[in-house]
Amino acid sequence: KQEVTQIPAALSVPEGENLVLNCSFTDSAIYNLQWFRQDPGKGLTSLLLIQSSQREQTSGRLNASLDKSSGRSTLYIAASQPGDSATYLCAVTPSGTYKYIFGTGTRLKVLA
Amino acid sequence: EAGVTQFPSHSVIEKGQTVTLRCDPISGHDNLYWYRRVMGKEIKFLLHFVKESKQDESGMPNNRFLAERTGGTYSTLKVQPAELEDSGVYFCASSPVPLAGGRGGELFFGEGSRLTVL
């Protein structure tokens, strides 16, 4: 049974810091991994989607890597800003299914 | 282009009552998903429609939950009768790719419907 874990559960950093959020999953048989952002009371916004054959994806200040064999993904945020404050979720699609398995998220607060 | 819209944004009902949540996917998206987040837990899959057909409903908690998708457009999720443990946020997501969420697709989520059962 696939399980997704995100560490840390919460993180508070000063503005301008580079930071790394971690996501680990127990079964390497996945189709893809997607990182989302959720603002309080809002829906999920897709940040980056990494296919199982890819190693990383970049969008602006965000870079996500995927190491399928070790069951890990990291989301790197460069030069963090207060507007980056949100909950970050990762989700994987186990092979043979069409549904996401979500982690519990990392609640990020960037202090001005 | 309008995103995934959900209605109502928040519903408060008494235990034993019925609630119907509605989701309008992005136009042209054949794949529609329902997910749920209960307090303190991770978001969990409920079911997946391809057009009007249920592709996978393995995540539906019990037979008090009924999902429909009329004509392959909007979808409703009915809870009858509601129980306290049904409280949470119900998310709808859609995607244009036939195997979205599986082989390569990106999911687009709505803002969720918060259900509170008293």
Side-chain angles (χ1 to χ4, degrees):
Chain A
K1 178 187 170 186
Q2 178 73 267
E3 292 183 359
V4 180
T5 304
Q6 291 187 247
I7 295 174
L11 182 63
S12 186
V13 300
E15 182 178 7
E17 269 202 12
N18 301 324
L19 55 100
V20 174
L21 307 182
N22 296 294
C23 171
S24 61
F25 45 96
T26 55
D27 189 338
S28 62
I30 62 170
Y31 284 139
N32 58 29
L33 182 146
Q34 192 165 355
W35 282 93
F36 296 88
R37 166 188 174 137
Q38 185 179 22
D39 294 283
K42 300 292 186 181
L44 279 66
T45 301
S46 175
L47 297 175
L48 291 164
L49 172 66
I50 311 177
Q51 305 297 343
S52 62
S53 58
Q54 298 175 322
R55 295 300 297 260
E56 66 177 344
Q57 284 285 340
T58 298
S59 176
R61 296 182 294 108
L62 305 179
N63 175 278
S65 67
L66 174 64
D67 183 344
K68 219 174 60 159
S69 60
S70 68
R72 291 181 182 177
S73 176
T74 60
L75 178 67
Y76 175 82
I77 302 177
S80 58
Q81 303 170 358
D84 294 329
S85 299
T87 295
Y88 290 80
L89 297 157
C90 73
V92 301
T93 305
S95 296
T97 76
Y98 307 118
K99 55 193 176 188
Y100 275 119
I101 306 296
F102 279 86
T104 49
T106 294
R107 196 167 58 255
L108 172 66
K109 188 169 185 178
V110 180
L111 305 170
Chain B
E1 178 181 319
V4 177
T5 57
Q6 294 187 243
F7 182 84
S9 58
H10 192 188
S11 181
V12 181
I13 61 173
E14 300 279 337
K15 176 183 172 181
Q17 290 185 323
T18 298
V19 63
T20 300
L21 310 177
R22 173 170 170 145
C23 169
D24 286 79
I26 294 172
S27 178
H29 283 196
D30 287 340
N31 292 267
L32 186 149
Y33 301 78
W34 285 97
Y35 285 81
R36 175 175 80 165
R37 183 178 218 167
V38 296
M39 184 69 75
K41 300 286 189 180
E42 67 273 20
I43 297 171
K44 287 193 173 177
F45 168 85
L46 295 179
L47 87 159
H48 170 208
F49 283 100
V50 177
K51 297 186 180 178
E52 66 274 9
S53 300
K54 292 176 184 174
Q55 177 78 19
D56 180 355
E57 53 184 329
S58 62
M60 295 288 264
N62 50 61
N63 59 11
R64 296 185 293 103
F65 289 74
L66 176 64
E68 294 179 322
R69 189 177 183 191
T70 305
T73 55
Y74 71 91
S75 174
T76 58
L77 180 64
K78 180 190 284 188
V79 184
Q80 180 182 31
E83 297 289 345
L84 299 179
E85 64 264 24
D86 300 333
S87 295
V89 181
Y90 291 76
F91 292 101
C92 176
S94 72
S95 179
V97 178
L99 298 179
R103 296 180 186 178
E106 179 180 1
L107 289 191
F108 299 86
F109 278 78
E111 295 201 344
S113 291
R114 180 175 296 277
L115 173 63
T116 301
V117 183
L118 303 176

